[in-house]
Amino acid sequence: MNSYYIRIAHLTAALLLSSTFPLQADEGMWLFNDLPKKLLLEKYDFTPTDSWTEHLRLASVRFNTGGSASFVSSNGLVLTNHHVGASTLHKLSDAEHNYATDGFLAHSTSEELKAPDLELNQLVSIEDVTAQVNAVVIDDMDPDDAATARRAVMADLEKKSLDQTGLRSDVITLYGGAKYHLYRFKKYTDVRLVWAPEASSAFFGGDADNFEYPRYCLDVTLFRVYENGKPAKIDHFLRWSENGAGADELVFVSGNPGRTERIFTTAALRYLRDKKLPRRLNYLRRKEIMLQQYSLAGPEQQRRASRTRFGIENNRKRSLGMLQGLQTPKFIATKQQQEDALLAALRGRADLKDAESAWQQIAQVQQERAAFIGVWTVMDGQYYHFANHLLLMASEDQKPSGERLREYRDSARESLLQKLFSPAPIYEDLEIAKLADSLSLFAEDRGGDDPLVKKVLAGQSPQQRAMALIQGSQLASVEVRQKIAGDDAASLANSPDTMIQLAQLLEPEYRRIRRIRDKHKEIERQAYAQINAAQVALHGTDSYPDATFSLRLAFGTVRGYQEAGQTVAPWTTMGGAFAHQAAHQAHGDWRLPESWTSHESQIDKRTPLNFVCTADIIGGNSGSPVVNRAGEFVGIIFDGNIQSLTSAYFYTDEVCRAVSVHSSAIREALRKIYKAGHLADQLGK
Amino acid sequence: MNSYYIRIAHLTAALLLSSTFPLQADEGMWLFNDLPKKLLLEKYDFTPTDSWTEHLRLASVRFNTGGSASFVSSNGLVLTNHHVGASTLHKLSDAEHNYATDGFLAHSTSEELKAPDLELNQLVSIEDVTAQVNAVVIDDMDPDDAATARRAVMADLEKKSLDQTGLRSDVITLYGGAKYHLYRFKKYTDVRLVWAPEASSAFFGGDADNFEYPRYCLDVTLFRVYENGKPAKIDHFLRWSENGAGADELVFVSGNPGRTERIFTTAALRYLRDKKLPRRLNYLRRKEIMLQQYSLAGPEQQRRASRTRFGIENNRKRSLGMLQGLQTPKFIATKQQQEDALLAALRGRADLKDAESAWQQIAQVQQERAAFIGVWTVMDGQYYHFANHLLLMASEDQKPSGERLREYRDSARESLLQKLFSPAPIYEDLEIAKLADSLSLFAEDRGGDDPLVKKVLAGQSPQQRAMALIQGSQLASVEVRQKIAGDDAASLANSPDTMIQLAQLLEPEYRRIRRIRDKHKEIERQAYAQINAAQVALHGTDSYPDATFSLRLAFGTVRGYQEAGQTVAPWTTMGGAFAHQAAHQAHGDWRLPESWTSHESQIDKRTPLNFVCTADIIGGNSGSPVVNRAGEFVGIIFDGNIQSLTSAYFYTDEVCRAVSVHSSAIREALRKIYKAGHLADQLGK
């Protein structure tokens, strides 16, 4: 743990030698319709042709649960990370079958298990709609009105596109609000589980090894997309590289980085450092302990909570790394120097100096946010999630699509209903524990004498109240949710369902707070668009927008790094996993599953298992295919090293690395460990 | 976990039927010099004679690490809880010998292990010094001056008593400041470990069973006090009851309840509910996760952190139970009714109505405290603890004893130096992890731009800084601490020790905050004294003061209770422990140690293991002997049930129970499980 933090600090020292412009080495999460061709040619003597680019884009898959993937066979195989597929593994499991922990293998397509609520997206086309979106925002429009107008035109563009093409159509906000692109996706909603290794192989080393390198994880899972009840025929799938990538070889990562904040002003970073991240960490630790306590009751409770626990632990470790970076004094000091230089340059340009107000507006928003902390608590759990959606949907549907809260627009309805009507299991005892904790937090944050807290608790303790609310609700039933989704707002107002009643009680405050937050976001959107415009005016356009969980191309080379005077090699091997287990006396999560140990003699131990490259990634890239110049599959991203956690704000290829599972290990494991040669044979074909 | 919370809520319902006056059934933590003789006679036909009382007082032992105990043999055996002795077990352990987890047995006195820094206290006499203390506080004195004057006179009384008697002498503040008693203690500082069971027996069921009942824990440990290198001859030790206490039998608990807040006003309870407890819980969860992370590294790290982890988990579960009680709306509403009734009664009495201002002063203090949250972070770990003591001691010693911060008065010096010069092991890696976390919290709370935060971090990340500070300090060495303790303030000012330097940097702020806190406490002390006087004027004097970690006598009967319609029996048995293990499939901490399972056939399974009684206890009572009318040992307190967690504010014998290890189980376990018949033979003799 200490070494962990010290490395964060070393990273910081390294990155502070750099500045935002020019771009750092292999920095960039590039738009597929705006690739850095000049840079690739100059640095790597490589030109992505249109067909190369199109093929990679169409072979890339987005998991709407929050991850990336790729098509890896003509018969619909989709490869992603175990930790991306884990929520589905969890939903398919029960007290007798724990696929998330024990793994799963379908010996034929007939044994493949249908995911209850997955939607996979393939990006079919991109269209620039900036002009149409900006046309509706008139100078000096009030932020509320601007947000409303913008939302309306976006919903309208999406609806028209959906009607015309039948494709899922989303307008994506880029460069903090400077550009808007319309993305059209082919959706796959019949997705089946094919194979998953044990959690102890996928997440070997557990929380201790998470975000660490060297690493030894087989963090992969295979799904298959179906159409009309049969494995889908896929034209654009990735061929399998014979040997994977070599040292210093150029590789590309095609995936959906979730969120970066590289454009953030120092005021926004200070808010993150002093308010938002500390608050988030308190929240995550609270949930982590609550779930640990719930899990003490026995193995079945442990299983039920495991998926949520993993997500929270992962988020906690990542958030702590981000905070540690921001708390290193030189971090923000350097950002401040860059900001001061940019502001000085602006002041020297008559055409740009008005942009300075953008920084003030952003600072003002942070102050308002700080005063706003603790006003709202999301009620944790599926029941409230469903209740709030059903309630808001009914009342929003009374307005035209463009005027609704964005998630209730017509063009997004199909995806929303798929989630609302998911048959995934819901555990009443876990729901009560989660809701009780949320009610308690709500009372802590607003105080026990707050009128809304009193109404919500209705004279009961948070725990009694949570039990009464959950036990008085029918929302665990898909049929009930389907029936309620057909009700209009008026009949919902008289619903006897206790969780619908809770959502109703909270609705006015929910809407009030959402309006304030949307206003803050709109002010920031306009301000960052102004800042971006100023940067472009000063430094040119060879840049890329902050991540938005939409498809991007990153590139880099397979390369180790220096740490504490030691060279960290770019690869680990399957034999190394056994050595790593031995080095830790198989303590805790450093215990390989029986499938590995019993087949140890058959495994070619020289097979590369994990490797690192300099490509610029972030959360959401999990499951992204890594390809070589020929567009062949050489690996799959599953993590960043600890030093890369601060790359939400800065990128450097000095020590930041993306961590992948090697293509050769996947094939070797399928054949030797999991006795799934039939799947290994399908890969890349 | 749900049942846990629901029971807290049920408790609340039960207690709200009651009011503060008259006292509830077996309520009361009575002063040994002011026992409720009338009540005991009327209710139980029992009169504690002076010799009965004196014998029990002298057989009672206080652990200054925070617990209670008793003399149980003429040759110095002291019986306490495993969890009270655990810090010593931990200090005596190393990577090869983990006595805290694996247990310990000395086969003869020559094998007994000397505790590095224990001080045990036997209460020899009590003297009322209220008049002397109050004489120095003049009407309308400023709270700062009043606190100073009071501190001075208390230090003076203690010093004179020490000089006259050679006994440790402490003035105890009672009834929130209405009375002051001088307690004189015989000290034992040569204390040796004799026997401890495994943690899995002492804490069977772990965190899940903590504060639960029925319970199956052998939470006991034996020490022996020595004088002049030989087992001390003890006149007042407890005889061992042949069969322990029977159903509905009257029993007495003699121990040191730590802290209750039954006199608290509703304003003070609201502050606890909305500010203090939520903040404390965030802090505890933070430390818990930090120590879990540290422990992931391996079994030795797990061992090093285990003692602190147990304390934090215990505190977290207790604090959560307290918060849950306070968050039940009727809880404070009922307190409010009682308060309103008291205030109304006051207003009707010309001689008392001035007391109303006391409530306002207390409310004002809570407001100031709320604004003060997050201003100060104690730097966690032994290094800072030592550094700050050494630094403050040197500067305080320049003043007369009575004017110093209270812990540096002459009469307390010997006990302070024993702790400061403890040879207990210090683990550098754990110290770094703790300090790094504290520095990070300090930066979170005050913000990264705070001038003091910047000075403390000196340009480094909290983790880098913690490593530099710990590695630049020599305070892990007892010899260095002894040497520095001899230095005067002037030479300390130039100390090259990095942790002394840190303490210096923080000292002005430490003193500023302590002054404010002391002022708040003084205002409360005077206000609660006024409230107490008003209560006495209205309701008479048959009451007891809030707990102050000083010796008290509680009483009650051995009695089960009703829970969710079921009768909970007053006893569990040793056979029940095996059944409890089986019911939980030996999951997690529900696994008995090998010593139990391998001797299962020899154990008389009907032997009572744990039992509950209605006596009024709280944290600090852990280890208290339970005796019968004859003053014989029948059990040892080790926990309260979950429903008793709110008894810091209210007591009811409806469902609140004290949980004890039964005297018979201790003897049976020593003989049959631990093959320590020689110790069983010494008990009570």
Side-chain angles (χ1 to χ4, degrees):
Chain A
M1 182 175 164
N2 297 317
S3 63
Y4 158 114
Y5 291 124
I6 296 307
R7 276 173 294 147
I8 291 252
H10 284 162
L11 147 78
T12 314
L15 21 105
L16 297 171
L17 303 171
S18 71
S19 70
T20 306
F21 290 96
L23 294 180
Q24 290 296 304
D26 294 331
E27 177 175 356
M29 299 166 172
W30 303 90
L31 296 168
F32 265 75
N33 55 343
D34 190 14
L35 294 182
K37 293 185 179 177
K38 183 159 161 271
L39 195 144
L40 284 169
L41 183 65
E42 282 172 4
K43 185 162 184 193
Y44 291 109
D45 193 24
F46 177 78
T47 300
T49 63
D50 287 352
S51 68
W52 185 95
T53 308
E54 187 191 20
H55 174 72
L56 183 55
R57 169 167 54 76
L58 293 170
S60 300
V61 173
R62 185 173 71 178
F63 268 60
N64 281 339
T65 46
S68 301
S70 57
F71 290 123
V72 291
S73 80
S74 59
N75 61 358
L77 282 179
V78 173
L79 183 69
T80 188
N81 292 146
H82 184 276
H83 78 269
V84 171
S87 63
T88 297
L89 293 170
H90 188 70
K91 288 173 184 172
L92 289 170
S93 297
D94 56 31
E96 281 72 46
H97 308 92
N98 191 346
Y99 304 129
T101 297
D102 304 333
F104 173 81
L105 174 63
H107 296 89
S108 68
T109 51
S110 65
E111 290 181 13
E112 294 173 3
L113 297 178
K114 189 169 185 318
D117 52 13
L118 270 185
E119 178 188 311
L120 307 191
N121 288 164
Q122 177 197 39
L123 178 56
V124 171
S125 73
I126 304 175
E127 185 184 332
D128 189 333
V129 293
T130 308
Q132 291 101 304
V133 173
N134 283 342
V136 302
V137 180
I138 299 148
D139 274 358
D140 297 328
M141 213 179 213
D142 173 81
D144 276 339
D145 296 339
T148 304
R150 202 184 299 278
R151 202 164 64 221
V153 70
M154 286 163 72
D156 188 49
L157 286 164
E158 289 162 345
K159 184 63 171 45
K160 279 187 186 139
S161 170
L162 171 65
D163 290 344
Q164 281 165 14
T165 63
L167 295 168
R168 171 174 174 151
S169 301
D170 297 337
V171 173
I172 315 276
T173 303
L174 299 168
Y175 295 100
K179 288 195 182 174
Y180 297 88
H181 288 181
L182 175 65
Y183 280 43
R184 293 191 185 89
F185 302 98
K186 174 160 184 177
K187 298 196 309 188
Y188 291 90
T189 53
D190 185 350
V191 186
R192 306 193 189 176
L193 176 63
V194 177
W195 166 73
E198 309 86 344
S200 52
S201 169
F203 196 50
F204 180 55
D207 194 24
D209 270 7
N210 198 13
F211 301 112
E212 299 289 336
Y213 197 78
R215 192 81 178 276
Y216 307 88
C217 292
L218 190 68
D219 191 356
V220 289
T221 288
L222 277 173
F223 289 92
R224 195 189 303 275
V225 290
Y226 280 66
E227 287 186 305
N228 306 315
K230 289 183 180 161
K233 295 237 176 312
I234 302 296
D235 295 329
H236 291 278
F237 62 89
L238 298 176
R239 304 274 164 191
W240 209 261
S241 163
E242 191 48 40
N243 297 311
D248 296 320
E249 187 174 333
L250 173 66
V251 290
F252 300 87
V253 176
S254 173
N256 304 278
R259 184 180 169 88
T260 54
E261 288 152 344
R262 292 177 189 168
I263 202 174
F264 267 26
T265 67
T266 54
L269 290 173
R270 287 188 162 95
Y271 173 75
L272 271 178
R273 178 193 66 186
D274 295 341
K275 303 292 176 187
K276 188 172 174 178
L277 284 172
R279 164 100 182 156
R280 184 197 292 167
L281 279 160
N282 274 339
Y283 182 81
L284 292 170
R285 288 185 288 240
R286 170 192 193 99
K287 296 285 166 194
E288 191 168 347
I289 297 287
M290 182 270 289
L291 292 170
Q292 286 178 6
Q293 291 285 302
Y294 168 84
S295 301
L296 288 178
E300 172 59 7
Q301 277 73 25
Q302 212 164 22
R303 185 192 71 75
R304 290 179 179 188
S306 61
R307 172 65 201 149
T308 317
R309 274 179 76 175
F310 170 81
I312 285 172
E313 287 169 12
N314 194 48
N315 196 352
R316 182 252 306 144
K317 196 162 179 182
R318 187 176 59 228
S319 299
L320 192 60
M322 290 165 70
L323 178 62
Q324 305 298 4
L326 289 170
Q327 282 188 333
T328 305
K330 280 187 187 160
F331 207 111
I332 284 183
T334 306
K335 270 275 189 183
Q336 186 73 59
Q337 283 170 19
Q338 294 169 359
E339 192 168 282
D340 291 347
L342 183 59
L343 282 166
L346 287 185
R347 288 184 199 114
R349 291 264 302 251
D351 58 329
L352 296 177
K353 64 183 176 187
D354 281 357
E356 196 167 343
S357 67
W359 276 265
Q360 289 149 12
Q361 283 159 14
I362 290 165
Q364 179 63 29
V365 165
Q366 313 312 313
Q367 277 189 17
E368 289 178 21
R369 277 192 182 132
F372 203 63
I373 281 179
V375 173
W376 184 248
T377 309
V378 176
M379 296 294 145
D380 198 8
Q382 287 296 91
Y383 277 79
Y384 176 77
H385 175 78
F386 288 141
N388 198 41
H389 266 313
L390 289 167
L391 186 73
L392 293 175
M393 189 167 74
S395 85
E396 289 296 296
D397 278 0
Q398 298 179 306
K399 310 173 198 166
S401 176
E403 293 175 21
R404 298 177 202 155
L405 292 173
R406 196 160 151 67
E407 63 270 34
Y408 303 108
R409 67 197 192 277
D410 288 337
S411 64
R413 183 55 50 97
E414 205 177 288
S415 300
L416 175 63
L417 292 184
Q418 200 206 3
K419 284 183 215 154
L420 271 185
F421 302 154
S422 167
I426 294 171
Y427 304 107
E428 191 181 284
D429 63 343
L430 182 56
E431 290 285 316
I432 292 172
K434 286 180 174 179
L435 183 59
D437 184 65
S438 296
L439 290 172
S440 188
L441 177 58
F442 189 58
E444 289 173 34
D445 275 345
R446 298 174 68 112
D449 297 327
D450 176 76
L452 187 56
V453 168
K454 286 183 162 181
K455 271 191 211 167
V456 164
L457 291 182
Q460 294 182 296
S461 74
Q463 296 66 40
Q464 284 178 308
R465 188 71 188 136
M467 187 172 273
L469 286 166
I470 297 288
Q471 292 179 343
S473 174
Q474 311 261 298
L475 295 182
S477 152
V478 176
E479 292 68 36
V480 169
R481 297 200 296 273
Q482 283 169 333
K483 198 193 147 296
I484 292 178
D487 288 348
D488 58 16
S491 52
L492 265 182
N494 298 311
S495 171
D497 193 283
T498 45
M499 287 302 292
I500 296 279
Q501 290 168 2
L502 174 69
Q504 263 159 351
L505 194 55
L506 291 170
E507 187 185 347
E509 185 68 352
Y510 173 87
R511 287 185 179 272
R512 181 181 81 88
I513 281 152
R514 184 151 174 185
R515 266 193 304 276
I516 296 171
R517 288 188 177 162
D518 283 350
K519 190 181 108 185
H520 289 157
K521 280 184 206 154
E522 176 62 25
I523 295 171
E524 285 186 325
R525 196 174 292 128
Q526 295 188 18
Y528 281 123
Q530 232 180 330
I531 290 175
N532 182 67
Q535 283 178 334
V536 167
L538 288 167
H539 301 289
T541 57
D542 287 344
S543 191
Y544 63 93
D546 263 320
T548 48
F549 196 48
S550 56
L551 196 67
R552 304 294 179 87
L553 190 72
F555 59 87
T557 55
V558 176
R559 182 142 51 96
Y561 54 101
Q562 294 290 312
E563 184 176 305
Q566 303 284 309
T567 300
V568 179
W571 281 281
T572 64
T573 63
M574 294 181 82
F578 290 95
H580 195 57
Q581 174 181 250
H584 290 281
Q585 295 100 42
H587 173 76
D589 289 322
W590 283 295
R591 181 180 291 278
L592 287 166
E594 195 269 339
S595 62
W596 278 63
T597 49
S598 64
H599 297 109
E600 183 175 355
S601 63
Q602 294 155 56
I603 300 167
D604 180 349
K605 293 201 173 168
R606 298 160 306 176
T607 311
L609 177 50
N610 291 165
F611 69 95
V612 286
C613 70
T614 60
D616 187 4
I617 61 151
I618 201 101
N621 267 117
S622 283
S624 300
V626 185
V627 302
N628 59 20
R629 287 170 189 251
E632 294 168 336
F633 181 94
V634 298
I636 174 171
I637 297 287
F638 75 97
D639 207 6
N641 65 356
I642 202 91
Q643 295 94 332
S644 74
L645 285 179
T646 42
S647 62
Y649 322 115
F650 285 105
Y651 167 89
T652 166
D653 68 355
E654 185 84 17
V655 283
C656 291
R657 290 295 181 275
V659 187
S660 300
V661 183
H662 196 276
S663 53
S664 300
I666 299 170
R667 218 159 41 180
E668 180 75 0
L670 281 172
R671 292 210 168 106
K672 306 283 182 62
I673 299 174
Y674 296 99
K675 306 301 169 191
H678 66 291
L679 294 175
D681 292 343
Q682 291 171 50
L683 294 175
K685 286 179 190 144
Chain B
M1 182 177 165
N2 296 317
S3 63
Y4 159 113
Y5 290 125
I6 295 307
R7 275 172 296 147
I8 292 252
H10 283 163
L11 149 77
T12 313
L15 12 110
L16 297 172
L17 301 172
S18 71
S19 71
T20 306
F21 291 96
L23 294 180
Q24 290 297 303
D26 294 332
E27 176 173 357
M29 300 166 170
W30 303 89
L31 296 168
F32 265 74
N33 55 341
D34 190 13
L35 294 183
K37 293 186 180 176
K38 184 160 159 270
L39 195 143
L40 284 168
L41 183 64
E42 283 171 6
K43 185 163 183 192
Y44 292 109
D45 192 25
F46 177 78
T47 300
T49 63
D50 287 352
S51 67
W52 185 96
T53 307
E54 186 191 22
H55 175 71
L56 183 56
R57 168 166 56 75
L58 292 170
S60 300
V61 173
R62 185 173 71 179
F63 268 61
N64 281 338
T65 46
S68 302
S70 56
F71 291 123
V72 291
S73 80
S74 58
N75 60 358
L77 282 179
V78 173
L79 182 70
T80 188
N81 292 143
H82 184 275
H83 79 269
V84 171
S87 65
T88 297
L89 292 171
H90 188 70
K91 287 172 183 172
L92 290 169
S93 298
D94 56 31
E96 280 73 46
H97 308 91
N98 191 347
Y99 304 129
T101 298
D102 304 334
F104 174 81
L105 174 63
H107 295 89
S108 68
T109 51
S110 64
E111 289 181 14
E112 294 174 1
L113 297 178
K114 189 169 185 321
D117 52 12
L118 269 185
E119 178 189 311
L120 307 193
N121 288 166
Q122 177 196 39
L123 178 55
V124 171
S125 73
I126 305 175
E127 184 184 335
D128 189 334
V129 293
T130 309
Q132 292 98 306
V133 173
N134 282 342
V136 302
V137 180
I138 299 148
D139 274 357
D140 298 328
M141 210 179 215
D142 173 79
D144 276 340
D145 296 339
T148 304
R150 202 185 300 278
R151 203 165 61 221
V153 71
M154 285 163 71
D156 189 49
L157 286 166
E158 290 161 344
K159 184 63 170 46
K160 280 187 186 139
S161 169
L162 171 66
D163 291 346
Q164 281 165 14
T165 64
L167 295 168
R168 172 174 174 152
S169 302
D170 298 337
V171 174
I172 314 277
T173 303
L174 299 167
Y175 295 98
K179 291 194 180 174
Y180 297 88
H181 289 182
L182 175 65
Y183 280 43
R184 294 193 183 88
F185 302 97
K186 172 160 185 176
K187 297 196 310 185
Y188 290 91
T189 54
D190 184 350
V191 186
R192 306 195 190 174
L193 176 62
V194 178
W195 166 73
E198 308 86 343
S200 52
S201 169
F203 197 50
F204 179 55
D207 194 23
D209 270 6
N210 199 11
F211 300 112
E212 300 289 337
Y213 197 77
R215 194 80 178 275
Y216 308 87
C217 291
L218 190 69
D219 191 356
V220 288
T221 288
L222 278 171
F223 289 92
R224 195 189 302 275
V225 289
Y226 280 65
E227 287 186 304
N228 306 315
K230 288 184 179 158
K233 294 240 177 312
I234 301 296
D235 295 326
H236 290 279
F237 61 90
L238 298 175
R239 303 276 164 189
W240 209 262
S241 163
E242 190 49 40
N243 297 309
D248 296 319
E249 186 173 335
L250 172 66
V251 291
F252 300 86
V253 176
S254 172
N256 303 277
R259 186 180 166 87
T260 53
E261 288 152 344
R262 292 179 189 168
I263 202 174
F264 268 27
T265 66
T266 54
L269 291 173
R270 286 188 163 95
Y271 174 75
L272 272 178
R273 178 193 64 186
D274 296 340
K275 305 291 175 188
K276 187 171 175 179
L277 284 172
R279 164 100 183 160
R280 183 197 294 168
L281 278 159
N282 274 338
Y283 183 81
L284 292 170
R285 287 184 289 241
R286 172 192 191 101
K287 294 286 165 193
E288 191 168 348
I289 297 286
M290 183 270 288
L291 292 169
Q292 286 177 6
Q293 292 286 301
Y294 168 84
S295 301
L296 287 179
E300 172 59 6
Q301 277 73 24
Q302 215 163 20
R303 185 192 72 75
R304 290 178 180 190
S306 60
R307 173 65 202 148
T308 318
R309 274 179 77 176
F310 169 81
I312 285 172
E313 287 169 12
N314 194 48
N315 196 351
R316 183 251 307 142
K317 198 163 177 183
R318 188 176 58 228
S319 300
L320 191 60
M322 290 166 70
L323 178 61
Q324 305 298 2
L326 289 171
Q327 282 188 334
T328 304
K330 280 188 188 158
F331 208 110
I332 284 183
T334 305
K335 270 275 190 184
Q336 186 72 61
Q337 282 170 18
Q338 295 170 356
E339 191 167 286
D340 292 346
L342 182 59
L343 283 166
L346 288 184
R347 287 184 201 115
R349 292 262 303 248
D351 58 326
L352 296 176
K353 64 184 178 188
D354 282 359
E356 195 168 344
S357 68
W359 276 266
Q360 289 150 13
Q361 283 160 14
I362 290 165
Q364 178 63 30
V365 165
Q366 313 311 314
Q367 277 190 17
E368 287 177 24
R369 279 195 181 129
F372 203 64
I373 281 178
V375 172
W376 182 251
T377 309
V378 176
M379 296 294 149
D380 196 10
Q382 287 296 92
Y383 277 79
Y384 177 76
H385 175 79
F386 289 139
N388 198 42
H389 265 312
L390 290 166
L391 187 72
L392 293 175
M393 189 167 73
S395 84
E396 290 296 297
D397 278 359
Q398 297 179 307
K399 310 173 198 166
S401 176
E403 293 175 21
R404 298 176 201 155
L405 292 173
R406 193 157 154 68
E407 62 271 34
Y408 303 108
R409 67 197 192 278
D410 288 337
S411 63
R413 184 55 50 96
E414 205 176 287
S415 299
L416 175 63
L417 292 184
Q418 200 205 4
K419 284 185 216 153
L420 270 183
F421 302 154
S422 166
I426 294 170
Y427 304 108
E428 191 181 285
D429 62 344
L430 182 56
E431 291 284 317
I432 292 172
K434 284 179 174 180
L435 182 60
D437 185 65
S438 296
L439 290 172
S440 188
L441 177 59
F442 189 57
E444 288 172 36
D445 275 345
R446 298 176 67 110
D449 297 327
D450 175 77
L452 187 56
V453 169
K454 284 184 163 179
K455 270 190 210 165
V456 164
L457 291 182
Q460 294 182 296
S461 73
Q463 295 66 38
Q464 284 178 309
R465 187 72 188 135
M467 187 173 272
L469 286 167
I470 297 289
Q471 292 180 343
S473 174
Q474 311 261 297
L475 295 183
S477 152
V478 177
E479 293 68 35
V480 169
R481 296 200 295 274
Q482 283 169 332
K483 197 191 148 298
I484 291 178
D487 287 349
D488 59 15
S491 52
L492 265 183
N494 298 312
S495 171
D497 192 284
T498 44
M499 286 301 294
I500 296 280
Q501 289 169 2
L502 174 68
Q504 263 158 353
L505 194 54
L506 290 171
E507 187 185 348
E509 185 68 350
Y510 173 88
R511 287 184 177 273
R512 181 181 80 86
I513 282 153
R514 185 152 175 185
R515 265 194 304 276
I516 296 171
R517 289 188 177 163
D518 284 349
K519 191 180 108 187
H520 288 158
K521 279 183 208 154
E522 176 62 24
I523 295 172
E524 286 186 324
R525 197 173 292 128
Q526 296 188 17
Y528 281 122
Q530 232 179 329
I531 290 175
N532 181 68
Q535 283 179 335
V536 167
L538 288 167
H539 300 287
T541 56
D542 287 343
S543 192
Y544 62 92
D546 263 319
T548 49
F549 195 49
S550 56
L551 195 66
R552 304 293 178 89
L553 188 72
F555 60 86
T557 54
V558 177
R559 180 142 51 98
Y561 52 102
Q562 294 290 315
E563 185 175 303
Q566 304 283 310
T567 300
V568 179
W571 282 282
T572 63
T573 63
M574 294 182 82
F578 290 96
H580 195 57
Q581 173 181 251
H584 290 281
Q585 294 101 41
H587 174 75
D589 289 322
W590 283 295
R591 181 180 291 278
L592 287 165
E594 196 267 341
S595 63
W596 279 62
T597 49
S598 66
H599 297 109
E600 184 176 355
S601 63
Q602 293 156 57
I603 300 167
D604 180 350
K605 293 200 173 170
R606 296 161 306 176
T607 311
L609 177 50
N610 292 165
F611 69 96
V612 287
C613 69
T614 59
D616 187 5
I617 62 150
I618 201 99
N621 268 118
S622 284
S624 300
V626 185
V627 302
N628 57 20
R629 286 171 189 247
E632 294 168 336
F633 181 93
V634 297
I636 174 172
I637 296 286
F638 74 98
D639 206 7
N641 66 354
I642 202 90
Q643 294 94 330
S644 74
L645 286 178
T646 43
S647 62
Y649 320 116
F650 287 104
Y651 166 88
T652 166
D653 67 355
E654 184 83 16
V655 284
C656 291
R657 289 296 180 274
V659 187
S660 300
V661 183
H662 196 277
S663 53
S664 301
I666 298 170
R667 219 159 42 178
E668 179 75 1
L670 281 172
R671 293 213 166 104
K672 307 284 183 62
I673 299 174
Y674 296 98
K675 305 300 167 193
H678 65 293
L679 293 175
D681 292 342
Q682 292 172 49
L683 294 175
K685 289 184 186 139

